[in-house]
């Protein structure tokens, strides 16, 4: 290789690197344990949550409920299993942190709404990490108790919950769609 070819090769490589750096970048180590949920905006986070719910076994339909600004009665997403008898609902909160009082308000609002009577499972989807809450176990136990009084189970999908679910229920196409190929490769390694 002569000097001119080497120079052009170096210049092109430098240009490609600059182009890559101008795009949205998520720094990835060799192996990724948690999906970068917080990089999604609230609309993408809600659609992501809907799509993850749709991947659940026996779920035949999962949809967003109404649009932002409507009275949604404590839910953002609903889903039905085979036959339409078993309903699952989700409340999506794209927030950096979630408090015990916020979770309590979410549960109370849902239980006041029309969906509480015909729901089997309530899923709290949040981009926040519940692990950062000092009283995480107490908060979740309290929410479970309120819901179980109406025979409704609680599932928490925070950053750890989503990551754990998608690691066990492998879906690289879904991870690729919302994050990118590098995240999917690092996550599924």
């Amino acid at each position: 290789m002569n000097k001119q070819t080497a120079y052009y090769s170096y210049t092109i490589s430098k240009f490609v690197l600059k182009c890559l750096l101008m795009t949205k970048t998520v720094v990835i180590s060799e192996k990724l344990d948690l999906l970068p949920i917080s990089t999604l905006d609230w609309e993408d986070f809600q659609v992501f949550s809907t799509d993850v719910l749709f991947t659940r076994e026996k779920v035949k339909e999962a949809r967003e409920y109404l649009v932002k600004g409507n009275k949604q009665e404590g839910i953002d997403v609903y889903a039905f299993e085979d036959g339409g008898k078993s309903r699952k609902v989700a409340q999506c909160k794209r927030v950096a942190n979630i408090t015990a009082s916020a979770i309590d308000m979410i549960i109370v609002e849902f239980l006041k709404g029309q969906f509480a009577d015909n729901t089997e499972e309530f899923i709290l989807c949040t981009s926040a990490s519940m692990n950062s809450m000092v009283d995480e176990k107490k908060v979740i136990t309290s929410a479970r108790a309120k819901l179980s009084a109406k025979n409704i189970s609680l599932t928490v999908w925070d950053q750890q919950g989503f990551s754990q679910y998608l690691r066990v229920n492998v879906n690289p196409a879904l991870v690729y769609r919302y994050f990118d190929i590098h995240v999917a490769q690092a996550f599924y390694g």
Side-chain angles (χ1 to χ4, degrees):
M1 179 184 296
N2 65 30
K3 284 184 176 181
Q4 188 175 12
T5 305
Y7 172 77
Y8 287 128
S9 177
Y10 170 77
T11 305
I12 290 170
S13 296
K14 193 173 170 184
F15 174 75
V16 169
L17 181 61
K18 278 185 178 179
C19 290
L20 289 173
L21 292 174
M22 290 189 302
T23 64
K24 181 178 168 186
T25 304
V26 176
V27 178
I28 302 171
S29 63
E30 208 169 293
K31 185 177 178 184
L32 189 63
D33 292 325
L34 298 173
L35 290 171
I37 303 292
S38 63
T39 62
L40 299 174
D41 64 27
W42 75 266
E43 291 167 317
D44 287 340
F45 177 70
Q46 188 163 307
V47 177
F48 170 74
S49 299
T50 305
D51 286 350
V52 172
L53 181 54
F54 187 73
T55 67
R56 304 253 326 250
E57 186 179 352
K58 298 181 184 178
V59 169
K60 295 299 175 196
E61 179 182 5
R63 298 176 165 271
E64 291 181 68
Y65 180 65
L66 298 175
V67 293
K68 185 178 180 180
N70 286 293
K71 184 168 172 44
Q72 294 174 299
E73 302 191 51
I75 71 164
D76 291 313
V77 179
Y78 66 91
F80 290 102
E81 290 184 353
D82 282 331
K85 294 177 184 173
S86 175
R87 181 172 35 211
K88 299 171 184 314
V89 299
Q91 175 59 250
C92 303
K93 292 294 180 192
R94 168 55 182 90
V95 292
N97 296 301
I98 193 160
T99 64
S101 62
I103 293 171
D104 188 56
M105 287 175 27
I106 289 167
I107 300 300
V108 168
E109 182 181 358
F110 165 69
L111 290 173
K112 287 181 184 177
Q114 69 173 343
F115 293 97
D117 291 335
N118 298 319
T119 296
E120 178 181 275
E121 180 182 16
F122 182 88
I123 304 167
L124 174 60
C125 303
T126 179
S127 55
S129 174
M130 297 288 286
N131 291 347
S132 64
M133 294 179 72
V134 175
D135 51 354
E136 171 194 8
K137 185 176 179 180
K138 181 180 172 186
V139 170
I140 293 173
T141 301
S142 173
R144 280 202 170 103
K146 288 177 183 173
L147 290 167
S148 69
K150 291 231 178 196
N151 295 317
I152 302 169
S153 66
L154 172 67
T155 300
V156 177
W157 280 345
D158 60 349
Q159 184 182 30
Q160 182 180 352
F162 275 117
S163 298
Q164 187 176 39
Y165 178 80
L166 288 170
R167 195 175 302 106
V168 172
N169 300 281
V170 178
N171 196 327
L174 184 72
V175 173
Y176 169 73
R177 177 176 182 213
Y178 289 97
F179 303 102
D180 67 27
I181 189 67
H182 304 292
V183 170
Q185 289 171 337
F187 185 69
Y188 289 115

